[in-house]
Amino acid sequence: MTARLADIAAQAGVSEATVSRVLNGKPGVAAATRQSVLAALDVLGYERPVRLRRRSAGLVGLITPELENPIFPALAQVIGQALTRQGYTPVLATQTPGGSTEDELTEMLVDRGVAGIIFVSGLHADTTADMRRYEQLRAQGVPFVLVDGFSPQVQAPFISPDDRAAMRLAVTHLSSLGHSRIGLALGPRRFVPVQRKIEGFTLSMRERFRLPPEEIESQLVQHSLYTLEGGQAAAAALLDRGCTAVVCASDMMALGAVRAARERGLEVPDDVSVVGFDDSVLVAFTDPPLTTVRKPVPAMGQAAVRTLLEEIAGTPAPHSEFVFMPELVVRGSTASCRPAGPEGPPGRP
């Protein structure tokens, strides 16, 4: 015990007597000093005495889609850390193909008495889904916040990136490099973020190149899956239509677009420019490093937690949408458009 006291005292920069007073719950120790001793216990791996352990303010559920897309673990980490700092214990519930549905995960969390739930890219983003499930949850008295998606039928706080602005940033960047035949690769049309990206992309292409909306929709927009293979398939279709640049709705899709270009003997960015969306971990180190539109994950995650805690405390934020601005991050996958020769760009049939 004496050796342990000495270790803790040295780590905290206080006397052994002070450490003893803190561990025994004695008065007469400044709050900052007491906190230093408790931090030293944690750092050295000693268990706190039961009376000094942090008491959880409760469980908070976090329901996300699959974790293969790096943006979801990144958002979960921000939300989890913010909840822990406020004394809550995050419970991560992940949907997997063939596994539990969002409704089943919600029921499981409610049965465990969570104080609230944060939904990320859930059914609230699907325009074909029945939104009454969220009103039923509210009727049970469970506070919740919805991230990435919007429905006017649901009375709740929504946290979203500005998908329209994201497309404006991408199109402006590519057009400044001389690209005019720009394609957009994204997920199924029924999702709200997809529809908003199409709106932003169409408006930007109309303003810059005076293209009719029907031509943009039919020739320059390609729906697929939010996967590397989905991006590859979508980009292949857009390259067939003569696109010299492809904007993708996720970084995973963008990496698939790079693969599609290389399969045709095209170089990225010399022959084809590619822009992603999210700024996932590691895309700065891909070959080439990916130009992307950075999703404001830290700000969105912290806002989701802050908003939920206000709901839990009984002082809810306005039931509206809080929209966060994305940021263009220029790296090595975009370059000036190479003028086409008499037979078109190299490698394209």
Side-chain angles (χ1 to χ4, degrees), residues 143 145 157 303-318 322:
V145 173
V305 170
R306 186 167 57 249
T307 305
L308 181 68
L309 296 188
E310 289 174 353
E311 294 271 319
I312 292 171
T315 55
F322 301 91

Side-chain angles (χ1 to χ4, degrees), residues 31-116:
T33 304
R34 187 180 301 274
Q35 194 57 45
S36 296
V37 172
L38 295 178
L41 280 172
D42 297 339
V43 168
L44 294 172
Y46 294 131
E47 283 195 20
R48 297 185 182 192
V50 174
R51 64 179 171 278
L52 297 177
R53 290 176 191 168
R54 294 190 189 93
R55 285 182 170 80
S56 173
L59 305 176
V60 168
L62 172 60
I63 300 181
T64 70
E66 42 75 29
L67 296 178
E68 290 182 3
N69 186 331
I71 201 64
F72 294 129
L75 191 52
Q77 183 177 26
V78 170
I79 290 173
Q81 289 175 341
L83 285 169
T84 301
R85 282 196 296 269
Q86 296 300 320
Y88 287 84
T89 301
V91 180
L92 179 62
T94 305
Q95 299 177 67
T96 54
S100 298
T101 65
E102 178 180 312
D103 290 338
E104 290 168 343
L105 293 174
T106 301
E107 183 179 358
M108 177 270 291
L109 291 169
V110 172
D111 286 346
R112 280 160 176 73
V114 294

Side-chain angles (χ1 to χ4, degrees), residues 201-217:
F201 179 78
T202 301
L203 181 59
S204 297
M205 293 296 287
R206 285 181 62 190
E207 289 176 348
R208 291 194 167 270
F209 305 113
R210 300 291 185 263
L211 296 175
E214 56 273 12
E215 180 183 336
I216 297 171
E217 288 266 0

Side-chain angles (χ1 to χ4, degrees), residues 171-182 243-246 267-275 291 330-340 345-346 348:
V171 170
T172 299
H173 170 61
L174 291 168
S175 64
S176 72
L177 294 172
H179 295 276
S180 57
R181 192 72 177 171
I182 302 169
C243 291
T244 62
V246 179
E267 292 295 326
V268 177
D270 294 343
D271 303 314
V272 178
S273 286
V274 175
V275 178
T291 294
V330 179
R331 297 192 180 104
S333 64
T334 51
S336 297
C337 182
R338 178 185 291 182
R348 184 176 295 118

